[in-house]
Amino acid sequence: MKVHILDDWFDTLRRLPCFARLQDHDVTVWTDHEPDPGKLATRILEAEALVLFRERTKIGAELLNHLTNLRLISQRSVYPHVDVEACSRNDVLLCSNMHSDTPSFAAAEHTLALILASYRQIPQQVASIRAGNWQAGVGRTLRGRILGLYGYGRIGRAVAGYAHAIGLNVQWWGSEAGRARAKADGEHVPESREAFFAGSDIISLHVRLKPETRGIITATDLAQMQDRALFVNTSRSGLVVPGALETELAKGRLHAAVDVFDEEPLRDTANPLLTHPNVLPTPHVGYVTEDEFNLQFTDIFDQINAYDKGMPIHMINPQVWAKTT
């Protein structure tokens, strides 16, 4: 099959063991990002199978309507960036392993790294010593503080394990069902949402972005956080009401560590999430490790081979396959 891989910005996949799974296919790797659907359609017009790097490119009807050779989109995890109805109308099968039993340990590790770097002022201290100065300030100790984890899922539980190891106390909030699971597992759940936000030194989000979770963190929630509390988001920016975090940061009370943004790639150097001294930003690298990529793209490439053998797996819109067989 003619396989096109989008948005492999550092040409990483060719160097990973999983890439050998595509040895029987004609593979084109695109190492830049083309946001314009018309221009993107022209460059990948011959593609029979399209490989996505998570949500880096939106796959909408305008693009799909031009891709007359496309038969398969292969990716991993959730797919809010893919117009599934448009895929079905164009007889394009979407396959995506939802990996329900495997947390992203890379994302959990990055969450811990952001917390540590924020509390110990690591970016500021590095900048200071590189500039020929010495210490730039005084950091804070994590041991004994309260970490509030919003979302009782796989990644959140992995973060909790790391947190316990360094002496943080953990409490939970989330959906009613999530809170019930946490209580059943003997975890601490405050008596109210207000108590969760007000009683946490650090709050970290670990929730999937879906229509029902969009904007789940409100301005009121952030206003209830303690002075100097740290808000961490390695999940999705859409979980927070637009502008709410920026407004609260402008008051100078909160600190934030943010790996996700409303617009990605974010290159607006005037954006307050990049410029505010209380914010530690990273460019959506929570899941970006060689190990995580090899794990994810093994699944993605296996989906291509399964389709090529006439036995597709992890089908999101199986009616397309039923119609073509």
PDB file of all heavy atoms in Angstrom, residues 277-299:
ATOM      1  N   PRO A 277       5.689  34.927  33.937  1.00  0.00           N
ATOM      2  CA  PRO A 277       6.763  34.338  34.750  1.00  0.00           C
ATOM      3  C   PRO A 277       6.306  33.203  35.652  1.00  0.00           C
ATOM      4  O   PRO A 277       7.143  32.414  36.122  1.00  0.00           O
ATOM      5  CB  PRO A 277       7.275  35.527  35.580  1.00  0.00           C
ATOM      6  CG  PRO A 277       6.147  36.516  35.573  1.00  0.00           C
ATOM      7  CD  PRO A 277       5.482  36.349  34.247  1.00  0.00           C
ATOM      8  N   ASN A 278       5.000  33.087  35.911  1.00  0.00           N
ATOM      9  CA  ASN A 278       4.491  32.016  36.771  1.00  0.00           C
ATOM     10  C   ASN A 278       4.137  30.751  35.987  1.00  0.00           C
ATOM     11  O   ASN A 278       3.622  29.798  36.571  1.00  0.00           O
ATOM     12  CB  ASN A 278       3.256  32.478  37.536  1.00  0.00           C
ATOM     13  CG  ASN A 278       3.588  33.420  38.665  1.00  0.00           C
ATOM     14  OD1 ASN A 278       4.741  33.767  38.869  1.00  0.00           O
ATOM     15  ND2 ASN A 278       2.572  33.849  39.398  1.00  0.00           N
ATOM     16  N   VAL A 279       4.409  30.749  34.680  1.00  0.00           N
ATOM     17  CA  VAL A 279       4.021  29.610  33.840  1.00  0.00           C
ATOM     18  C   VAL A 279       5.261  28.887  33.333  1.00  0.00           C
ATOM     19  O   VAL A 279       6.204  29.507  32.837  1.00  0.00           O
ATOM     20  CB  VAL A 279       3.164  30.061  32.643  1.00  0.00           C
ATOM     21  CG1 VAL A 279       2.768  28.849  31.787  1.00  0.00           C
ATOM     22  CG2 VAL A 279       1.916  30.790  33.118  1.00  0.00           C
ATOM     23  N   LEU A 280       5.242  27.560  33.457  1.00  0.00           N
ATOM     24  CA  LEU A 280       6.252  26.702  32.838  1.00  0.00           C
ATOM     25  C   LEU A 280       5.595  26.004  31.645  1.00  0.00           C
ATOM     26  O   LEU A 280       4.778  25.093  31.833  1.00  0.00           O
ATOM     27  CB  LEU A 280       6.771  25.674  33.841  1.00  0.00           C
ATOM     28  CG  LEU A 280       7.717  24.604  33.284  1.00  0.00           C
ATOM     29  CD1 LEU A 280       8.937  25.220  32.620  1.00  0.00           C
ATOM     30  CD2 LEU A 280       8.131  23.633  34.381  1.00  0.00           C
ATOM     31  N   PRO A 281       5.890  26.427  30.419  1.00  0.00           N
ATOM     32  CA  PRO A 281       5.265  25.805  29.244  1.00  0.00           C
ATOM     33  C   PRO A 281       6.196  24.806  28.565  1.00  0.00           C
ATOM     34  O   PRO A 281       7.410  24.999  28.496  1.00  0.00           O
ATOM     35  CB  PRO A 281       5.021  27.010  28.323  1.00  0.00           C
ATOM     36  CG  PRO A 281       6.171  27.938  28.624  1.00  0.00           C
ATOM     37  CD  PRO A 281       6.608  27.664  30.055  1.00  0.00           C
ATOM     38  N   THR A 282       5.624  23.722  28.055  1.00  0.00           N
ATOM     39  CA  THR A 282       6.357  22.791  27.198  1.00  0.00           C
ATOM     40  C   THR A 282       5.491  22.499  25.968  1.00  0.00           C
ATOM     41  O   THR A 282       4.259  22.542  26.044  1.00  0.00           O
ATOM     42  CB  THR A 282       6.700  21.476  27.928  1.00  0.00           C
ATOM     43  OG1 THR A 282       5.506  20.907  28.492  1.00  0.00           O
ATOM     44  CG2 THR A 282       7.720  21.717  29.031  1.00  0.00           C
ATOM     45  N   PRO A 283       6.110  22.200  24.817  1.00  0.00           N
ATOM     46  CA  PRO A 283       5.379  22.106  23.541  1.00  0.00           C
ATOM     47  C   PRO A 283       4.746  20.739  23.273  1.00  0.00           C
ATOM     48  O   PRO A 283       5.087  20.059  22.311  1.00  0.00           O
ATOM     49  CB  PRO A 283       6.451  22.452  22.514  1.00  0.00           C
ATOM     50  CG  PRO A 283       7.713  21.950  23.137  1.00  0.00           C
ATOM     51  CD  PRO A 283       7.569  22.162  24.610  1.00  0.00           C
ATOM     52  N   HIS A 284       3.789  20.359  24.100  1.00  0.00           N
ATOM     53  CA  HIS A 284       3.040  19.103  23.959  1.00  0.00           C
ATOM     54  C   HIS A 284       3.986  17.913  23.761  1.00  0.00           C
ATOM     55  O   HIS A 284       3.892  17.156  22.787  1.00  0.00           O
ATOM     56  CB  HIS A 284       2.034  19.174  22.803  1.00  0.00           C
ATOM     57  CG  HIS A 284       0.894  18.209  22.991  1.00  0.00           C
ATOM     58  ND1 HIS A 284      -0.327  18.365  22.374  1.00  0.00           N
ATOM     59  CD2 HIS A 284       0.775  17.080  23.736  1.00  0.00           C
ATOM     60  CE1 HIS A 284      -1.136  17.376  22.721  1.00  0.00           C
ATOM     61  NE2 HIS A 284      -0.483  16.583  23.541  1.00  0.00           N
ATOM     62  N   VAL A 285       4.867  17.744  24.735  1.00  0.00           N
ATOM     63  CA  VAL A 285       5.834  16.649  24.670  1.00  0.00           C
ATOM     64  C   VAL A 285       5.555  15.576  25.723  1.00  0.00           C
ATOM     65  O   VAL A 285       6.386  14.690  25.934  1.00  0.00           O
ATOM     66  CB  VAL A 285       7.284  17.175  24.845  1.00  0.00           C
ATOM     67  CG1 VAL A 285       7.680  18.041  23.668  1.00  0.00           C
ATOM     68  CG2 VAL A 285       7.446  17.939  26.159  1.00  0.00           C
ATOM     69  N   GLY A 286       4.382  15.622  26.346  1.00  0.00           N
ATOM     70  CA  GLY A 286       4.078  14.656  27.389  1.00  0.00           C
ATOM     71  C   GLY A 286       4.206  13.215  26.937  1.00  0.00           C
ATOM     72  O   GLY A 286       4.689  12.360  27.681  1.00  0.00           O
ATOM     73  N   TYR A 287       3.798  12.940  25.706  1.00  0.00           N
ATOM     74  CA  TYR A 287       3.853  11.571  25.196  1.00  0.00           C
ATOM     75  C   TYR A 287       5.013  11.378  24.217  1.00  0.00           C
ATOM     76  O   TYR A 287       5.184  10.301  23.636  1.00  0.00           O
ATOM     77  CB  TYR A 287       2.540  11.220  24.488  1.00  0.00           C
ATOM     78  CG  TYR A 287       2.347  11.915  23.162  1.00  0.00           C
ATOM     79  CD1 TYR A 287       2.540  11.240  21.969  1.00  0.00           C
ATOM     80  CD2 TYR A 287       1.985  13.255  23.092  1.00  0.00           C
ATOM     81  CE1 TYR A 287       2.378  11.867  20.747  1.00  0.00           C
ATOM     82  CE2 TYR A 287       1.817  13.901  21.885  1.00  0.00           C
ATOM     83  CZ  TYR A 287       2.008  13.201  20.718  1.00  0.00           C
ATOM     84  OH  TYR A 287       1.856  13.836  19.511  1.00  0.00           O
ATOM     85  N   VAL A 288       5.833  12.412  24.046  1.00  0.00           N
ATOM     86  CA  VAL A 288       6.853  12.395  22.998  1.00  0.00           C
ATOM     87  C   VAL A 288       8.155  11.816  23.536  1.00  0.00           C
ATOM     88  O   VAL A 288       9.044  12.525  23.995  1.00  0.00           O
ATOM     89  CB  VAL A 288       7.068  13.818  22.435  1.00  0.00           C
ATOM     90  CG1 VAL A 288       8.130  13.796  21.347  1.00  0.00           C
ATOM     91  CG2 VAL A 288       5.760  14.364  21.878  1.00  0.00           C
ATOM     92  N   THR A 289       8.249  10.498  23.515  1.00  0.00           N
ATOM     93  CA  THR A 289       9.498   9.797  23.801  1.00  0.00           C
ATOM     94  C   THR A 289       9.659   8.679  22.766  1.00  0.00           C
ATOM     95  O   THR A 289       8.668   8.201  22.188  1.00  0.00           O
ATOM     96  CB  THR A 289       9.520   9.175  25.212  1.00  0.00           C
ATOM     97  OG1 THR A 289       8.583   8.082  25.263  1.00  0.00           O
ATOM     98  CG2 THR A 289       9.163  10.198  26.283  1.00  0.00           C
ATOM     99  N   GLU A 290      10.876   8.267  22.534  1.00  0.00           N
ATOM    100  CA  GLU A 290      11.118   7.182  21.586  1.00  0.00           C
ATOM    101  C   GLU A 290      10.377   5.915  22.008  1.00  0.00           C
ATOM    102  O   GLU A 290       9.806   5.199  21.173  1.00  0.00           O
ATOM    103  CB  GLU A 290      12.611   6.898  21.484  1.00  0.00           C
ATOM    104  CG  GLU A 290      13.416   8.021  20.838  1.00  0.00           C
ATOM    105  CD  GLU A 290      14.893   7.712  20.783  1.00  0.00           C
ATOM    106  OE1 GLU A 290      15.286   6.626  21.279  1.00  0.00           O
ATOM    107  OE2 GLU A 290      15.655   8.533  20.242  1.00  0.00           O
ATOM    108  N   ASP A 291      10.385   5.638  23.305  1.00  0.00           N
ATOM    109  CA  ASP A 291       9.742   4.412  23.799  1.00  0.00           C
ATOM    110  C   ASP A 291       8.232   4.453  23.573  1.00  0.00           C
ATOM    111  O   ASP A 291       7.620   3.468  23.134  1.00  0.00           O
ATOM    112  CB  ASP A 291      10.034   4.250  25.294  1.00  0.00           C
ATOM    113  CG  ASP A 291      11.508   4.403  25.594  1.00  0.00           C
ATOM    114  OD1 ASP A 291      11.954   5.559  25.733  1.00  0.00           O
ATOM    115  OD2 ASP A 291      12.211   3.386  25.681  1.00  0.00           O
ATOM    116  N   GLU A 292       7.625   5.604  23.874  1.00  0.00           N
ATOM    117  CA  GLU A 292       6.180   5.742  23.697  1.00  0.00           C
ATOM    118  C   GLU A 292       5.810   5.680  22.223  1.00  0.00           C
ATOM    119  O   GLU A 292       4.824   5.044  21.838  1.00  0.00           O
ATOM    120  CB  GLU A 292       5.701   7.054  24.307  1.00  0.00           C
ATOM    121  CG  GLU A 292       4.193   7.244  24.282  1.00  0.00           C
ATOM    122  CD  GLU A 292       3.444   6.333  25.238  1.00  0.00           C
ATOM    123  OE1 GLU A 292       4.090   5.731  26.126  1.00  0.00           O
ATOM    124  OE2 GLU A 292       2.209   6.214  25.098  1.00  0.00           O
ATOM    125  N   PHE A 293       6.604   6.337  21.376  1.00  0.00           N
ATOM    126  CA  PHE A 293       6.340   6.284  19.940  1.00  0.00           C
ATOM    127  C   PHE A 293       6.420   4.858  19.418  1.00  0.00           C
ATOM    128  O   PHE A 293       5.596   4.429  18.604  1.00  0.00           O
ATOM    129  CB  PHE A 293       7.342   7.157  19.181  1.00  0.00           C
ATOM    130  CG  PHE A 293       7.017   8.628  19.199  1.00  0.00           C
ATOM    131  CD1 PHE A 293       7.910   9.548  18.678  1.00  0.00           C
ATOM    132  CD2 PHE A 293       5.828   9.098  19.719  1.00  0.00           C
ATOM    133  CE1 PHE A 293       7.625  10.892  18.679  1.00  0.00           C
ATOM    134  CE2 PHE A 293       5.531  10.451  19.733  1.00  0.00           C
ATOM    135  CZ  PHE A 293       6.437  11.356  19.207  1.00  0.00           C
ATOM    136  N   ASN A 294       7.427   4.114  19.853  1.00  0.00           N
ATOM    137  CA  ASN A 294       7.565   2.738  19.367  1.00  0.00           C
ATOM    138  C   ASN A 294       6.373   1.889  19.783  1.00  0.00           C
ATOM    139  O   ASN A 294       5.871   1.064  19.011  1.00  0.00           O
ATOM    140  CB  ASN A 294       8.859   2.116  19.886  1.00  0.00           C
ATOM    141  CG  ASN A 294       9.219   0.842  19.147  1.00  0.00           C
ATOM    142  OD1 ASN A 294       9.439   0.850  17.939  1.00  0.00           O
ATOM    143  ND2 ASN A 294       9.251  -0.276  19.862  1.00  0.00           N
ATOM    144  N   LEU A 295       5.882   2.107  21.004  1.00  0.00           N
ATOM    145  CA  LEU A 295       4.703   1.393  21.489  1.00  0.00           C
ATOM    146  C   LEU A 295       3.475   1.757  20.666  1.00  0.00           C
ATOM    147  O   LEU A 295       2.734   0.890  20.187  1.00  0.00           O
ATOM    148  CB  LEU A 295       4.475   1.723  22.960  1.00  0.00           C
ATOM    149  CG  LEU A 295       3.217   1.143  23.607  1.00  0.00           C
ATOM    150  CD1 LEU A 295       3.306  -0.374  23.689  1.00  0.00           C
ATOM    151  CD2 LEU A 295       3.020   1.746  25.003  1.00  0.00           C
ATOM    152  N   GLN A 296       3.266   3.061  20.479  1.00  0.00           N
ATOM    153  CA  GLN A 296       2.070   3.515  19.780  1.00  0.00           C
ATOM    154  C   GLN A 296       2.074   3.119  18.316  1.00  0.00           C
ATOM    155  O   GLN A 296       1.069   2.631  17.781  1.00  0.00           O
ATOM    156  CB  GLN A 296       1.932   5.032  19.903  1.00  0.00           C
ATOM    157  CG  GLN A 296       1.640   5.514  21.316  1.00  0.00           C
ATOM    158  CD  GLN A 296       1.303   6.989  21.359  1.00  0.00           C
ATOM    159  OE1 GLN A 296       1.046   7.616  20.337  1.00  0.00           O
ATOM    160  NE2 GLN A 296       1.295   7.549  22.555  1.00  0.00           N
ATOM    161  N   PHE A 297       3.209   3.329  17.643  1.00  0.00           N
ATOM    162  CA  PHE A 297       3.231   3.094  16.207  1.00  0.00           C
ATOM    163  C   PHE A 297       3.356   1.614  15.854  1.00  0.00           C
ATOM    164  O   PHE A 297       3.041   1.228  14.727  1.00  0.00           O
ATOM    165  CB  PHE A 297       4.310   3.948  15.552  1.00  0.00           C
ATOM    166  CG  PHE A 297       3.874   5.385  15.426  1.00  0.00           C
ATOM    167  CD1 PHE A 297       4.151   6.289  16.428  1.00  0.00           C
ATOM    168  CD2 PHE A 297       3.123   5.806  14.341  1.00  0.00           C
ATOM    169  CE1 PHE A 297       3.717   7.604  16.349  1.00  0.00           C
ATOM    170  CE2 PHE A 297       2.676   7.109  14.245  1.00  0.00           C
ATOM    171  CZ  PHE A 297       2.971   8.021  15.249  1.00  0.00           C
ATOM    172  N   THR A 298       3.758   0.781  16.792  1.00  0.00           N
ATOM    173  CA  THR A 298       3.626  -0.663  16.578  1.00  0.00           C
ATOM    174  C   THR A 298       2.162  -1.007  16.362  1.00  0.00           C
ATOM    175  O   THR A 298       1.806  -1.739  15.426  1.00  0.00           O
ATOM    176  CB  THR A 298       4.196  -1.438  17.780  1.00  0.00           C
ATOM    177  OG1 THR A 298       5.615  -1.238  17.838  1.00  0.00           O
ATOM    178  CG2 THR A 298       3.912  -2.927  17.653  1.00  0.00           C
ATOM    179  N   ASP A 299       1.290  -0.466  17.217  1.00  0.00           N
ATOM    180  CA  ASP A 299      -0.150  -0.687  17.041  1.00  0.00           C
ATOM    181  C   ASP A 299      -0.644  -0.114  15.722  1.00  0.00           C
ATOM    182  O   ASP A 299      -1.428  -0.751  14.997  1.00  0.00           O
ATOM    183  CB  ASP A 299      -0.921  -0.030  18.186  1.00  0.00           C
ATOM    184  CG  ASP A 299      -0.763  -0.758  19.504  1.00  0.00           C
ATOM    185  OD1 ASP A 299      -0.352  -1.925  19.483  1.00  0.00           O
ATOM    186  OD2 ASP A 299      -1.054  -0.154  20.550  1.00  0.00           O
TER     187      ASP A 299
END
